Amino acid sequence: MPSDKLRVFTRYLPFLLKYGLKFLYQRLQATVHRRTYCSLPSPQTVLVIGGSFTGVWLARRLTESLPSGYKVILIEKNSHFNYLFNFPRYSVLQGHEQQAFIPYQGLFENAPEGIFEQITDEVICVREGDVELRSGKCIQYAYLVIATGATQSPPAKLLASRKGEACAELRVLQTRIKEAERIAVVGGGAVGVQLSADVKSFYPDKKVVLIHSRGQLLSNFGVRLHEYVVGKLAALGVDVLLGERPATPGDGKWESAELILKDGRSELFDLVIPSTGQTPNTSIIAGFAPSSISAQTGRILVKSTLQLEGDGKFDEVFENIFALGDVAETGGPKMASAGMMQGEIVRENILALIRGEQLAEYTPLALEGALKLRLGKDECVMYIQEDDGTDFMFPGKNGNVDLEAAKAWKMFGAVFEEEANE
């Protein structure tokens, strides 16, 4: 029987070839665009709210394709790009946390003059034709893209928006992990699994318990991945409790607590780290488009074109407003790769509206949900699941202890050696 790695390569080879050719064509288009774009007075604005993976990718692609007379404004409250993939590791590993915060500037330094502007601020209100920022400033838009993602409890995402304060936030958790002897991680998603494995890898003498409310870890994925991960956690010495939903400290702080299990038993932990749930960041449109927020999931409802879905009365108003990524009910997985694929659809559709052409529709692909899960200091596993339940799984090895942070900095056009030591 062929290995999963061979099966997945064979299965997705046509897609990879197609995507590779498309990528080369995009690079050629970007080169031509850079030489032909002209900065004009009073350009119309494509406003992108949210500077994580999805928003940054879209903004960058727009700088490579918008016609003269248009510009991109990216609004993001964080001073630096938060490289979320490495937050679990840098919650445990001391002295490396600064490498998870990458300067934005290098991403757009090759963009045509006048096509891009970044504002470090927070949108508090969306209106027809403009948005209001926390600073009190208002920004007009011709097209609006909402890529605000979802809020998660630290350390999946952090509370601080400035690099120095965010690093200090991670250092607090590092210290508490180092000092604690009995640690409970509550929540068996990707962050909880990776955090538990890292704590036990770097501090093998500590007692680490991973507690999950359902009967399967990583509940959005297949049973085969769950069984593999449970085995790897057991080999590391992590205890796993399934079907448990103990009350955790309500303030979300990392502190000691007594957790009550469903059979009545109680266990005292020196440190409890909640790692549960996501809350979509939709408050900015709650007053403007309440009918576009799902009552079931809290996400923004969108059409297959990723334009806002209203109640019929506002279709014309919403024609120039898009939502994508974790904040939107797109039908795709809540993964960075899916957000980037959706970003390409939004880019195409903004250009189509400018040109008066037919809009493209987003169709999720299984490959967008591919998961790379770190399982301690040395190991990881890749997992892909098709809609029909067919899955592919193959183990691998992690890179260096920084999880190849230098590659991420290079991708952002940032100088790793200088910035990482600030």
Side-chain angles (χ1 to χ4, degrees), residues 77-97:
K77 67 178 181 178
N78 290 323
S79 64
H80 290 65
F81 182 86
N82 285 207
Y83 195 64
L84 305 175
F85 295 145
N86 284 13
F87 276 13
R89 172 61 52 90
Y90 296 155
S91 300
V92 181
L93 181 66
Q94 294 183 306
H96 297 254
E97 61 281 349

Side-chain angles (χ1 to χ4, degrees), residues 61-324:
R61 289 290 292 127
L62 287 167
T63 66
E64 297 173 344
S65 52
L66 278 179
S68 299
Y70 289 84
K71 66 178 291 187
V72 186
I73 295 180
L74 175 66
I75 300 179
E76 166 56 46
K77 67 178 181 178
N78 290 323
S79 64
H80 290 65
F81 182 86
N82 285 207
Y83 195 64
L84 305 175
F85 295 145
N86 284 13
F87 276 13
R89 172 61 52 90
Y90 296 155
S91 300
V92 181
L93 181 66
Q94 294 183 306
H96 297 254
E97 61 281 349
Q98 66 278 0
Q99 294 168 3
F101 305 96
I102 308 174
Y104 280 103
Q105 292 82 355
L107 264 178
F108 302 97
E109 63 181 8
N110 294 323
E113 183 177 354
I115 200 172
F116 177 76
E117 179 184 353
Q118 182 173 354
I119 298 175
T120 305
D121 207 330
E122 186 176 3
V123 174
I124 60 171
C125 178
V126 171
R127 296 185 287 257
E128 185 178 353
D130 76 343
V131 303
E132 182 179 346
L133 307 184
R134 188 164 296 282
S135 62
K137 186 177 181 180
C138 293
I139 306 292
Q140 294 185 331
Y141 63 83
Y143 297 95
L144 176 66
V145 183
I146 301 170
T148 47
T151 299
Q152 292 177 266
S153 58
K157 294 184 180 178
L158 301 177
L159 303 177
S161 59
R162 309 296 298 180
K163 177 177 178 178
E165 296 167 359
C167 286
E169 203 172 330
L170 285 174
R171 285 194 290 269
V172 168
L173 182 53
Q174 292 168 7
T175 299
R176 292 186 179 175
I177 287 173
K178 184 177 181 179
E179 293 175 349
E181 293 301 321
R182 294 172 55 83
I183 300 171
V185 178
V186 181
V191 173
V193 167
Q194 291 178 131
L195 185 59
S196 301
D198 272 354
V199 172
K200 195 64 177 178
S201 289
F202 287 92
Y203 297 104
D205 293 334
K206 296 184 185 298
K207 179 178 177 61
V208 179
V209 181
L210 176 60
I211 303 172
H212 190 50
S213 61
R214 302 189 183 183
Q216 174 186 324
L217 296 177
L218 303 152
S219 310
N220 292 329
F221 300 92
V223 174
R224 188 159 70 124
L225 178 63
H226 158 79
E227 293 173 346
Y228 181 84
V229 169
V230 167
K232 288 296 180 180
L233 291 175
L236 286 169
V238 176
D239 295 331
V240 176
L241 296 181
L242 299 174
E244 296 282 359
R245 195 188 294 268
T248 56
D251 54 12
K253 292 183 178 179
W254 303 311
E255 55 190 27
S256 63
E258 185 177 22
L259 300 184
I260 310 298
L261 304 180
K262 63 184 180 183
D263 64 0
R265 289 183 299 119
S266 65
E267 288 201 39
L268 180 63
F269 293 93
D270 304 318
L271 177 63
V272 175
I273 308 174
S275 184
T276 57
Q278 294 188 352
T279 303
N281 294 319
T282 58
S283 61
I284 61 172
I285 68 161
F288 173 63
S291 63
S292 295
I293 300 177
S294 168
Q296 287 72 42
T297 66
R299 299 190 184 100
I300 298 175
L301 299 170
V302 293
K303 302 176 182 178
S304 58
T305 56
L306 302 182
Q307 294 165 297
L308 256 65
E309 179 75 76
D311 56 10
K313 297 185 297 182
F314 299 102
D315 282 354
E316 187 175 340
V317 173
F318 293 163
E319 183 182 54
N320 63 336
I321 303 177
F322 297 82
L324 71 167

